[in-house]
Structures are given as structure tokens and as C-alpha cells.
Amino acid sequence: MWSVYRLLVFALAAASRLAPAHVLEFCHSSDCHRDDDTASNGQPAPNTVRSRWNMSVSGLVRDLDQFRVSCKKLIEEFPVDEVDGNFVRTVKNCIFSKSTPTPLKGPLRLAAVSKEVIEGIFDLDVAVTQSEDFLHYASGGKLLIGSVPLAHRYGGHQFGYWAGQLGDGRAHLLGRYSNRKGETWELQLKGSGKTQYSRSGDGRAVIRSSVREFLCSEAMHFLGVPTSRAASLIVSEEPVVRDQFYNGNVKMERGAVVLRLAKSWFRIGSLEILAQSGETDLLRKLVNFVIDEHFPSIASGDSNKYLVFYSTVVNETARLIAQWMSVGFAHGVCNTDNFSLLSITIDYGPFGFMESYNPNFVPNTSDDEGRYGIGAQADVGLFNLEKLLAALSPVLTQKQQEEAKMILKGYGSIYQMRIHQIFKAKLGLLGEEEDDSFLIGFLLKMMEDKGSDFTMTFRQLSEISDLQLHNRNFTQMWALGDLLEHEHFSDWLNMYVFRISRKQSDTDSDRQSRMKKVNPRYVLRNWMAESAIVKAEVNDFSEVELLHRILSSPFVTQETAEEAGHAARPPPWAERLKVSCSS
Ligand SMILES: *[C@@H]1O[C@H](CO)[C@@H](O)[C@H](O)[C@H]1NC(C)=O
Ligand SMILES: *[C@@H]1O[C@H](CO)[C@@H](O)[C@H](O)[C@H]1NC(C)=O
Ligand SMILES: *[C@@H]1O[C@H](CO)[C@@H](O)[C@H](O)[C@H]1NC(C)=O
Ligand SMILES: *[C@@H]1O[C@H](CO)[C@@H](O)[C@H](O)[C@H]1NC(C)=O
Ligand SMILES: CC(=O)N[C@H]1CO[C@H](CO)[C@@H](O)[C@@H]1O
């Protein structure tokens, strides 16, 4: 039986392009390159050339050796594990270990690059990415002067249980970069070899999982969902052995490295390991650092700052998961080590975009219990926030712990409020009317019954006129056409048309353009990724590039995407696809 509760939980989600709530502006005087010749909007004034940047006319740096990325601040701030060598072991009393990437075996190929990141965030001329130096830098084979790469020590609850020390098992933090907009980003290589935290892993990532991460993190950004970004994808000839479906079919694949970036890579598990091992001073230090760097609205002298921090993370986690739901995104492994303290999407593994609407959609084919199914994500968020509270408890007073529990109790209603707002926007509803939740829930229930395409149902509602809706004229609207077979869809349409036509100040074209901004026409469907991966594995990266370009404007109808069938009914083979779990 379909439960009203679940429907409400699910129904409360959509792609309104909400900005992340913490103001991500944490430029601290000295490590920030904002100069006086920077225009007030944060963009460099045109035609200014600052010699220290060795800039081209565009103001972009052309020489990789001028790219200043450093872990200095982190190393100065925290005790660092100095033990040399990347051998696996238990590490105590530190946040990071020094760890050197293992270069990928060549020949190396640049499979994908994000010009937007390279130029807009790194201030580098994209031509730099065509150099040998860049290939080596972005795959772990070249370190820039003064660079001390780090692996982060963290723990986590995996699949419901405390898993002890985890840590960056195949990722290296290259350093922080403060760009000319005054933003600070942390650059990380993924797939760059073993670290102290590799456990039984080989420290590598294969082409298919790297293509997926590159494309999906970029796609999520352009969908307006807070996420880590990807700068480049380098593939090699280095053999990597993987059992793709954990079924004994071992296959030789090739290694790849993604250069990815986030404002911060700290996770819930970053704090948990310190709390679990009684390293309270270090825990306090890390929380203070995260607050000072990333939550500028929280005063460092505020005696309640940890509570305000917790409340912010609770709110932002609710918002993030609501945004995932709004685009049908299932993360796939929502363990506490994969949950960012900044409430951004990180660690793309066996994720999936739901095609047929199904609250039980599970992207990880080995997740038989559906623990991380799409409809379970809100609950998993709650579980993870409970673990965050436990990790913060050593620095909270008894009274604050009680207050934090009350804050956590509010999570459900914050989530529902977000979902409600988002799905109202997806339906183009202005104002607030009593039956809005019913209207949303009713539609989702019918979509579930019919297995309607999640993305295209909402998109087509955004592209259809009131008159066509009224006339049930679904020419070219295959997803809506499918839904018309539901016995109640016609009733729903009457309600909907009545609801949207009641707002006299709203015109049909305003409604459509509003809805088209929150209902994407293209998402990274599994079959699309798969098709690009098959080609990438034979060194044809054209489809990776094509998808990257299309998904950079997911709300805009594009000819190439239409020709490739990205808004059409998924091809029959798509249904048989399984998401590969090992990565
Ligand atoms: C600028 O970069 C070029 C290489 O791209 C180098 O030859 C030159 O010396 C640099 N100039 C300064 C002032 O650093
Ligand atoms: C979190 O959201 C609740 C409900 O909207 C609000 O009362 C509270 O002030 C928010 N907390 C923070 C730190 O913004
Ligand atoms: C998928 O789910 C199974 C079962 O819970 C789990 O063992 C596996 O680690 C998951 N895959 C990934 C990549 O997390
Ligand atoms: C249905 O809508 C299409 C536009 O998508 C229009 O060209 C066509 O004339 C309409 N058909 C009827 C019967 O109104
Ligand atoms: C996709 C990904 O990076 N997942 C990480 C998060 O969680 C799992 C299990 O906790 C780790 O094994 C992965 O490294």
C-alpha cells in the first residue's frame, strides 16, 4: 500500500535554484588575491594586467608553474602525521597524513576538462590543460613547487554501523587555491594511488567510475544542486583489476584520475573519528576551523556557536536532500563518511537519476535492502545528523546537547517544508493554497502507478500551454501521454488547470518559463553515461564532451541533445543496464 506519509515525505521536493545558505565567502586577508583593481562585483576589471599572475590578456594565468596551490594553512593549523610512506595503518592525533600520489602509468590522455572550472575558478587559461605538465599534474605525476599533498583521516558509519578509521583511501588533497573572486577551493585528486588509509584498496579508480563522477558532479552543479566540481579527467593505460558487479567476473580495466574540487572536503566522519577516539581537543580545533572558514555568519566568540553550527548543518542537509529529490537524484552510498559538513554533494559512486518514478528506486544494484534508495534518503539524512550530534557532544554542554536534540527534531519539518516549496515550484504554483500538498501528492502517486518518467513528466508540464492541458492535447508529449492512461489523471488535470488559472496576475507564458527554469529537460541518465563510457574506454571522448556540454545547460532545449534522444523515451536497452558498483 502506498502510504500518505511516504508520499508527503517524498512530495515535499524540486529544482528551484536555491543558493547554498551559508554564504560561501571566506576570504581571509592574506591568502586572498582580491586586489584593488578587482571590480566591485568580484570580477576582475577588464584589461588589468597584474605581473604577479603572469596573465594573458584575458587575465588568465598561462603557466601552470604560476598556479599557487598549497596545503600550508592546513599543515600549520593541525598536527600532521609525519610518518613517511603510504603504507596502511591506524593513525592517531592528526587530521591529515602527508601522502604522495603515485603517478599513473602513461601514455596519459586528457579525456575531459571543465573550461568553466579551469578559467572561472582556477584563473588558468584553458590552453594550459593541453600541456604535458598539466597531464602529469592532474594525474599525480607532477607536484607544483612547495606542494605537500595530504590524505585526510576520517571515520564513518557505513550501512548503519561504525566502521572505524576510513580516510582518503585513493584521494590526495593537493592544496587550497584562493582565486581572484576571493573564493578558496580545495583541490583533490581521486584515483591517485595508495595512502595510509587505503585499507585493502589499490588506490586507483577506473575509467567508467571516473567518467561518471566527472559528468555527474558537473551536471549537478548546473542543475543548481550544491556539489563538488570536477576540473579534469585523465585516463591512462595503467591496468586496474576490478570485479565490476562483485560476481566473480574479474576484468582488467584502466586507471583514471579526476581532479576535483570543493570548498571543503570535511565530512561528518571527519569529526566522528576524533570523538570516537577521545581526541577532544583536536575535535574542538577542527570544528572551530570549519566554522571560521566556512560559516562566516557564526561569530567565533559565540558560546553557542557549536549549536548554531549544528542547526545550520541540519537545515542545509534537509535542503540538499530536498534538492536531490527534486531532480530525482539518488546518491547511492549516504554513509556518514560521504556526507559533507558543508552540505554539498560529494563522493559520486553508484548514484543514479531516477527515470521511472519509483520511491523505492535503488541505484546500487547490490543494495538489496534498499537502504539508500531514493525514498529513504531523507531518513538517512536524519540518521547521519544523529551521528553528527554524537560526534559534537564532547564539545557541547549537557544543556546544549538537549537543545541540539530539539534542533534535530525539527529536521523532518524543515525537510517537508523544502520539499513542499520545491515541488510547488516544479508545478509552477504561486502563493499557498490549502490543497497544494494534495495536488503534488496526487500527481506523484499517479506517476508511481504508471512508472512515469520523472524528468520528462515535469518538463512537459512546463512546456505545455493551459489550452493544450485543457484540451488534453498531448501531441509530442510522450510522458504526459503515458500518464493519461491513468484513470484519475483527467481529474487531476481539471484541478491543476483550475489552480493555475486562478492566479490572474500569472500568465501562461510566465508559468511556463518559471517552470522551465526548475524542471530540467536533460539529466545524466544511466544509459547516457554508459554510452559515453563505452566510447571512452576505446579513447573516444567525444561523447563525454558532448554530454558535458549538454548538461551544462540542462534547462535549455538543445538540438544535439534532441538528436541524441536525451529527452525521448529511454532506449529499450536502458532498462537492462545495471550500475556498476565497484569503482
Ligand atoms: C610568464 O610565463 C612565461 C611562460 O609562460 C615565462 O617564460 C615568463 O618568464 C613568465 N614571466 C614572469 C614575469 O613570470
Ligand atoms: C534552521 O531552520 C529553522 C526553521 O526554518 C530556523 O528556525 C533556524 O533558525 C535555522 N537555523 C539556522 C542556524 O539558520
Ligand atoms: C552497495 O550496497 C551493498 C549492500 O549494502 C554494499 O555492500 C556495497 O558496498 C554498496 N556499494 C557501494 C559502492 O557502496
Ligand atoms: C495540439 O497541439 C499542437 C501543438 O503542440 C498543435 O499544433 C495542434 O494543432 C494541437 N491539436 C489540436 C487538435 O488542438
Ligand atoms: C562513492 C564513494 O566515494 N563512496 C565512499 C563513501 O562510502 C563508502 C562506504 O562508506 C566508501 O567505501 C566510499 O569510498
Side-chain angles (χ1 to χ4, degrees), residues 154 156-159 163 166-167 169-170 190 199 213 260 267 331 333-339 346-350 372 583:
Y154 56 81
H157 276 82
Q158 298 190 318
F159 310 102
L166 301 165
R170 51 176 171 167
K190 177 169 175 184
R199 291 170 285 159
E213 166 142 13
R260 57 186 197 173
R267 308 126 192 279
H331 180 285
V333 244
C334 304
N335 293 327
T336 56
D337 56 315
N338 299 126
F339 254 56
I346 56 169
D347 284 351
Y348 290 84
Y372 296 137
S583 57

mmCIF file of all heavy atoms in Angstrom, residues 154 156-159 163 166-167 169-170 190 199 213 260 267 331 333-339 346-350 372 583, ligand 5:
data_model
loop_
_atom_site.group_PDB
_atom_site.id
_atom_site.type_symbol
_atom_site.label_atom_id
_atom_site.label_comp_id
_atom_site.label_asym_id
_atom_site.label_seq_id
_atom_site.Cartn_x
_atom_site.Cartn_y
_atom_site.Cartn_z
ATOM 1 N N TYR A 154 39.616 10.170 8.359
ATOM 2 C CA TYR A 154 38.251 10.264 8.872
ATOM 3 C C TYR A 154 37.713 8.868 9.137
ATOM 4 O O TYR A 154 38.352 7.860 8.807
ATOM 5 C CB TYR A 154 37.337 11.048 7.916
ATOM 6 C CG TYR A 154 37.249 10.536 6.488
ATOM 7 C CD1 TYR A 154 36.424 9.462 6.157
ATOM 8 C CD2 TYR A 154 37.971 11.141 5.467
ATOM 9 C CE1 TYR A 154 36.326 9.010 4.841
ATOM 10 C CE2 TYR A 154 37.885 10.688 4.154
ATOM 11 C CZ TYR A 154 37.066 9.618 3.860
ATOM 12 O OH TYR A 154 36.974 9.165 2.563
ATOM 13 N N GLY A 156 33.646 6.752 9.958
ATOM 14 C CA GLY A 156 32.285 6.862 9.472
ATOM 15 C C GLY A 156 31.413 5.687 9.840
ATOM 16 O O GLY A 156 31.905 4.615 10.208
ATOM 17 N N HIS A 157 30.124 5.955 9.767
ATOM 18 C CA HIS A 157 29.139 4.884 9.906
ATOM 19 C C HIS A 157 28.789 4.427 8.493
ATOM 20 O O HIS A 157 28.324 5.219 7.682
ATOM 21 C CB HIS A 157 27.881 5.390 10.604
ATOM 22 C CG HIS A 157 28.006 5.383 12.093
ATOM 23 N ND1 HIS A 157 28.629 6.392 12.790
ATOM 24 C CD2 HIS A 157 27.612 4.458 13.022
ATOM 25 C CE1 HIS A 157 28.600 6.103 14.094
ATOM 26 N NE2 HIS A 157 28.000 4.949 14.260
ATOM 27 N N GLN A 158 29.073 3.167 8.228
ATOM 28 C CA GLN A 158 28.759 2.638 6.901
ATOM 29 C C GLN A 158 27.622 1.644 7.036
ATOM 30 O O GLN A 158 27.706 0.720 7.846
ATOM 31 C CB GLN A 158 29.976 1.931 6.318
ATOM 32 C CG GLN A 158 31.162 2.868 6.124
ATOM 33 C CD GLN A 158 32.276 2.218 5.318
ATOM 34 O OE1 GLN A 158 32.599 1.064 5.516
ATOM 35 N NE2 GLN A 158 32.833 2.977 4.401
ATOM 36 N N PHE A 159 26.606 1.848 6.225
ATOM 37 C CA PHE A 159 25.456 0.950 6.217
ATOM 38 C C PHE A 159 24.935 0.710 7.639
ATOM 39 O O PHE A 159 24.550 -0.386 8.004
ATOM 40 C CB PHE A 159 25.811 -0.365 5.506
ATOM 41 C CG PHE A 159 26.446 -0.107 4.169
ATOM 42 C CD1 PHE A 159 27.825 -0.211 3.996
ATOM 43 C CD2 PHE A 159 25.673 0.318 3.099
ATOM 44 C CE1 PHE A 159 28.411 0.084 2.766
ATOM 45 C CE2 PHE A 159 26.258 0.618 1.871
ATOM 46 C CZ PHE A 159 27.619 0.494 1.703
ATOM 47 N N ALA A 163 32.349 2.076 11.392
ATOM 48 C CA ALA A 163 33.325 1.312 10.611
ATOM 49 C C ALA A 163 34.758 1.639 11.007
ATOM 50 O O ALA A 163 35.695 1.136 10.392
ATOM 51 C CB ALA A 163 33.118 1.584 9.125
ATOM 52 N N LEU A 166 38.502 5.229 8.318
ATOM 53 C CA LEU A 166 38.386 5.067 6.861
ATOM 54 C C LEU A 166 39.448 5.970 6.238
ATOM 55 O O LEU A 166 40.584 5.593 6.131
ATOM 56 C CB LEU A 166 36.973 5.419 6.401
ATOM 57 C CG LEU A 166 35.866 4.572 7.039
ATOM 58 C CD1 LEU A 166 34.494 5.188 6.849
ATOM 59 C CD2 LEU A 166 35.879 3.161 6.450
ATOM 60 N N GLY A 167 39.066 7.180 5.904
ATOM 61 C CA GLY A 167 40.065 8.128 5.379
ATOM 62 C C GLY A 167 40.175 8.092 3.869
ATOM 63 O O GLY A 167 39.630 7.212 3.203
ATOM 64 N N GLY A 169 41.284 6.971 0.879
ATOM 65 C CA GLY A 169 41.999 5.756 0.517
ATOM 66 C C GLY A 169 42.570 5.785 -0.893
ATOM 67 O O GLY A 169 43.371 4.933 -1.276
ATOM 68 N N ARG A 170 42.104 6.751 -1.678
ATOM 69 C CA ARG A 170 42.644 6.857 -3.042
ATOM 70 C C ARG A 170 42.549 8.291 -3.530
ATOM 71 O O ARG A 170 42.406 8.544 -4.718
ATOM 72 C CB ARG A 170 41.905 5.915 -3.981
ATOM 73 C CG ARG A 170 40.385 6.060 -3.892
ATOM 74 C CD ARG A 170 39.766 5.171 -4.917
ATOM 75 N NE ARG A 170 38.331 5.110 -4.722
ATOM 76 C CZ ARG A 170 37.508 4.617 -5.602
ATOM 77 N NH1 ARG A 170 37.965 4.127 -6.724
ATOM 78 N NH2 ARG A 170 36.228 4.575 -5.377
ATOM 79 N N LYS A 190 41.478 12.155 -7.344
ATOM 80 C CA LYS A 190 40.862 10.893 -6.943
ATOM 81 C C LYS A 190 41.327 9.794 -7.890
ATOM 82 O O LYS A 190 41.232 9.956 -9.104
ATOM 83 C CB LYS A 190 39.339 10.997 -6.977
ATOM 84 C CG LYS A 190 38.653 9.677 -6.633
ATOM 85 C CD LYS A 190 37.184 9.863 -6.406
ATOM 86 C CE LYS A 190 36.491 8.515 -6.197
ATOM 87 N NZ LYS A 190 35.039 8.697 -6.080
ATOM 88 N N ARG A 199 43.307 0.826 3.186
ATOM 89 C CA ARG A 199 42.814 -0.495 3.602
ATOM 90 C C ARG A 199 43.207 -1.517 2.534
ATOM 91 O O ARG A 199 44.348 -1.548 2.128
ATOM 92 C CB ARG A 199 41.303 -0.438 3.865
ATOM 93 C CG ARG A 199 40.990 0.393 5.117
ATOM 94 C CD ARG A 199 39.525 0.674 5.262
ATOM 95 N NE ARG A 199 39.075 1.688 4.319
ATOM 96 C CZ ARG A 199 37.835 1.869 3.928
ATOM 97 N NH1 ARG A 199 36.892 1.067 4.371
ATOM 98 N NH2 ARG A 199 37.515 2.817 3.089
ATOM 99 N N GLU A 213 31.736 10.253 -12.346
ATOM 100 C CA GLU A 213 31.919 11.332 -11.362
ATOM 101 C C GLU A 213 32.117 12.680 -12.054
ATOM 102 O O GLU A 213 31.523 13.682 -11.660
ATOM 103 C CB GLU A 213 33.103 11.040 -10.429
ATOM 104 C CG GLU A 213 33.522 12.291 -9.642
ATOM 105 C CD GLU A 213 33.946 12.073 -8.203
ATOM 106 O OE1 GLU A 213 34.166 10.913 -7.803
ATOM 107 O OE2 GLU A 213 34.043 13.068 -7.470
ATOM 108 N N ARG A 260 39.333 17.024 -8.765
ATOM 109 C CA ARG A 260 38.046 17.559 -8.310
ATOM 110 C C ARG A 260 38.253 18.625 -7.259
ATOM 111 O O ARG A 260 39.353 18.752 -6.701
ATOM 112 C CB ARG A 260 37.149 16.420 -7.827
ATOM 113 C CG ARG A 260 37.755 15.580 -6.711
ATOM 114 C CD ARG A 260 36.860 14.380 -6.393
ATOM 115 N NE ARG A 260 37.203 13.816 -5.085
ATOM 116 C CZ ARG A 260 36.522 12.860 -4.487
ATOM 117 N NH1 ARG A 260 35.456 12.345 -5.055
ATOM 118 N NH2 ARG A 260 36.882 12.413 -3.299
ATOM 119 N N ARG A 267 33.925 15.966 6.239
ATOM 120 C CA ARG A 267 32.685 15.200 6.290
ATOM 121 C C ARG A 267 32.242 15.002 7.729
ATOM 122 O O ARG A 267 33.018 15.253 8.654
ATOM 123 C CB ARG A 267 32.923 13.785 5.715
ATOM 124 C CG ARG A 267 33.554 13.766 4.389
ATOM 125 C CD ARG A 267 34.813 12.909 4.331
ATOM 126 N NE ARG A 267 35.516 13.183 3.069
ATOM 127 C CZ ARG A 267 35.165 12.638 1.925
ATOM 128 N NH1 ARG A 267 34.223 11.728 1.895
ATOM 129 N NH2 ARG A 267 35.775 12.969 0.821
ATOM 130 N N HIS A 331 21.856 9.240 -4.336
ATOM 131 C CA HIS A 331 23.305 9.249 -4.126
ATOM 132 C C HIS A 331 23.884 7.841 -4.123
ATOM 133 O O HIS A 331 24.957 7.593 -4.671
ATOM 134 C CB HIS A 331 23.610 9.980 -2.815
ATOM 135 C CG HIS A 331 25.068 10.075 -2.473
ATOM 136 N ND1 HIS A 331 25.778 9.002 -1.992
ATOM 137 C CD2 HIS A 331 25.939 11.108 -2.543
ATOM 138 C CE1 HIS A 331 27.043 9.387 -1.785
ATOM 139 N NE2 HIS A 331 27.160 10.649 -2.116
ATOM 140 N N VAL A 333 25.288 5.895 -1.752
ATOM 141 C CA VAL A 333 26.017 5.488 -0.529
ATOM 142 C C VAL A 333 26.076 6.642 0.467
ATOM 143 O O VAL A 333 27.106 7.275 0.636
ATOM 144 C CB VAL A 333 27.491 5.089 -0.724
ATOM 145 C CG1 VAL A 333 27.761 3.660 -0.388
ATOM 146 C CG2 VAL A 333 28.052 5.505 -2.046
ATOM 147 N N CYS A 334 24.952 6.872 1.129
ATOM 148 C CA CYS A 334 24.889 8.001 2.061
ATOM 149 C C CYS A 334 25.443 7.632 3.428
ATOM 150 O O CYS A 334 24.760 7.753 4.440
ATOM 151 C CB CYS A 334 23.465 8.488 2.216
ATOM 152 S SG CYS A 334 22.684 8.949 0.675
ATOM 153 N N ASN A 335 26.657 7.152 3.463
ATOM 154 C CA ASN A 335 27.278 6.877 4.757
ATOM 155 C C ASN A 335 27.797 8.191 5.342
ATOM 156 O O ASN A 335 27.959 9.171 4.617
ATOM 157 C CB ASN A 335 28.417 5.877 4.565
ATOM 158 C CG ASN A 335 27.884 4.518 4.154
ATOM 159 O OD1 ASN A 335 26.791 4.124 4.573
ATOM 160 N ND2 ASN A 335 28.639 3.807 3.335
ATOM 161 N N THR A 336 28.075 8.191 6.652
ATOM 162 C CA THR A 336 28.479 9.471 7.254
ATOM 163 C C THR A 336 29.814 9.950 6.702
ATOM 164 O O THR A 336 30.125 11.127 6.776
ATOM 165 C CB THR A 336 28.579 9.382 8.785
ATOM 166 O OG1 THR A 336 29.474 8.325 9.130
ATOM 167 C CG2 THR A 336 27.219 9.153 9.415
ATOM 168 N N ASP A 337 30.608 9.061 6.153
ATOM 169 C CA ASP A 337 31.873 9.494 5.546
ATOM 170 C C ASP A 337 31.653 10.093 4.158
ATOM 171 O O ASP A 337 32.572 10.646 3.578
ATOM 172 C CB ASP A 337 32.863 8.320 5.465
ATOM 173 C CG ASP A 337 32.291 7.140 4.705
ATOM 174 O OD1 ASP A 337 31.132 6.782 4.955
ATOM 175 O OD2 ASP A 337 32.994 6.575 3.864
ATOM 176 N N ASN A 338 30.447 9.972 3.623
ATOM 177 C CA ASN A 338 30.148 10.564 2.320
ATOM 178 C C ASN A 338 29.251 11.795 2.444
ATOM 179 O O ASN A 338 28.730 12.279 1.462
ATOM 180 C CB ASN A 338 29.436 9.551 1.412
ATOM 181 C CG ASN A 338 30.261 8.323 1.138
ATOM 182 O OD1 ASN A 338 29.812 7.220 1.357
ATOM 183 N ND2 ASN A 338 31.487 8.508 0.676
ATOM 184 N N PHE A 339 29.063 12.271 3.684
ATOM 185 C CA PHE A 339 28.188 13.426 3.916
ATOM 186 C C PHE A 339 29.006 14.631 4.330
ATOM 187 O O PHE A 339 29.625 14.654 5.386
ATOM 188 C CB PHE A 339 27.137 13.077 4.976
ATOM 189 C CG PHE A 339 25.772 12.878 4.376
ATOM 190 C CD1 PHE A 339 25.581 11.953 3.372
ATOM 191 C CD2 PHE A 339 24.688 13.635 4.797
ATOM 192 C CE1 PHE A 339 24.326 11.777 2.797
ATOM 193 C CE2 PHE A 339 23.430 13.463 4.230
ATOM 194 C CZ PHE A 339 23.248 12.531 3.236
ATOM 195 N N ILE A 346 28.947 15.075 -2.317
ATOM 196 C CA ILE A 346 30.318 14.615 -2.558
ATOM 197 C C ILE A 346 30.337 13.101 -2.748
ATOM 198 O O ILE A 346 29.379 12.416 -2.405
ATOM 199 C CB ILE A 346 31.302 14.982 -1.405
ATOM 200 C CG1 ILE A 346 30.799 14.440 -0.057
ATOM 201 C CG2 ILE A 346 31.555 16.469 -1.339
ATOM 202 C CD1 ILE A 346 31.829 14.533 1.077
ATOM 203 N N ASP A 347 31.430 12.609 -3.264
ATOM 204 C CA ASP A 347 31.663 11.176 -3.397
ATOM 205 C C ASP A 347 30.635 10.483 -4.290
ATOM 206 O O ASP A 347 29.763 9.755 -3.832
ATOM 207 C CB ASP A 347 31.703 10.494 -2.027
ATOM 208 C CG ASP A 347 33.018 10.772 -1.329
ATOM 209 O OD1 ASP A 347 33.921 11.337 -1.971
ATOM 210 O OD2 ASP A 347 33.144 10.425 -0.146
ATOM 211 N N TYR A 348 30.792 10.720 -5.555
ATOM 212 C CA TYR A 348 29.885 10.104 -6.520
ATOM 213 C C TYR A 348 30.301 8.664 -6.775
ATOM 214 O O TYR A 348 31.372 8.407 -7.300
ATOM 215 C CB TYR A 348 29.911 10.899 -7.826
ATOM 216 C CG TYR A 348 29.252 12.261 -7.685
ATOM 217 C CD1 TYR A 348 29.952 13.352 -7.198
ATOM 218 C CD2 TYR A 348 27.915 12.419 -8.009
ATOM 219 C CE1 TYR A 348 29.339 14.590 -7.054
ATOM 220 C CE2 TYR A 348 27.291 13.650 -7.869
ATOM 221 C CZ TYR A 348 28.006 14.732 -7.399
ATOM 222 O OH TYR A 348 27.390 15.946 -7.258
ATOM 223 N N GLY A 349 29.459 7.749 -6.357
ATOM 224 C CA GLY A 349 29.747 6.323 -6.570
ATOM 225 C C GLY A 349 28.622 5.712 -7.388
ATOM 226 O O GLY A 349 28.401 6.084 -8.537
ATOM 227 N N PRO A 350 27.876 4.809 -6.781
ATOM 228 C CA PRO A 350 26.787 4.149 -7.535
ATOM 229 C C PRO A 350 25.506 4.980 -7.530
ATOM 230 O O PRO A 350 24.433 4.477 -7.240
ATOM 231 C CB PRO A 350 26.597 2.841 -6.766
ATOM 232 C CG PRO A 350 26.978 3.170 -5.366
ATOM 233 C CD PRO A 350 28.028 4.236 -5.432
ATOM 234 N N TYR A 372 19.741 2.699 0.752
ATOM 235 C CA TYR A 372 19.986 4.020 0.195
ATOM 236 C C TYR A 372 19.154 4.273 -1.060
ATOM 237 O O TYR A 372 19.594 4.928 -1.991
ATOM 238 C CB TYR A 372 21.490 4.208 -0.062
ATOM 239 C CG TYR A 372 22.298 4.171 1.223
ATOM 240 C CD1 TYR A 372 23.504 3.484 1.320
ATOM 241 C CD2 TYR A 372 21.838 4.834 2.356
ATOM 242 C CE1 TYR A 372 24.233 3.471 2.503
ATOM 243 C CE2 TYR A 372 22.555 4.818 3.543
ATOM 244 C CZ TYR A 372 23.748 4.131 3.613
ATOM 245 O OH TYR A 372 24.464 4.112 4.780
ATOM 246 N N SER A 583 34.369 0.564 -8.042
ATOM 247 C CA SER A 583 34.804 1.736 -8.802
ATOM 248 C C SER A 583 36.307 1.926 -8.700
ATOM 249 O O SER A 583 36.852 2.875 -9.161
ATOM 250 C CB SER A 583 34.076 2.966 -8.300
ATOM 251 O OG SER A 583 34.308 3.136 -6.929
HETATM 252 C C1 LIG B 5 31.371 6.735 -3.817
HETATM 253 C C2 LIG B 5 32.285 6.868 -2.688
HETATM 254 O O1 LIG B 5 33.295 7.514 -2.780
HETATM 255 N N1 LIG B 5 31.901 6.280 -1.608
HETATM 256 C C3 LIG B 5 32.671 6.309 -0.435
HETATM 257 C C4 LIG B 5 31.671 6.559 0.631
HETATM 258 O O2 LIG B 5 31.236 5.486 1.333
HETATM 259 C C5 LIG B 5 31.691 4.183 1.012
HETATM 260 C C6 LIG B 5 31.288 3.327 2.126
HETATM 261 O O3 LIG B 5 31.273 4.046 3.315
HETATM 262 C C7 LIG B 5 33.166 4.211 0.813
HETATM 263 O O4 LIG B 5 33.664 2.905 0.630
HETATM 264 C C8 LIG B 5 33.434 5.033 -0.409
HETATM 265 O O5 LIG B 5 34.775 5.295 -0.552
#
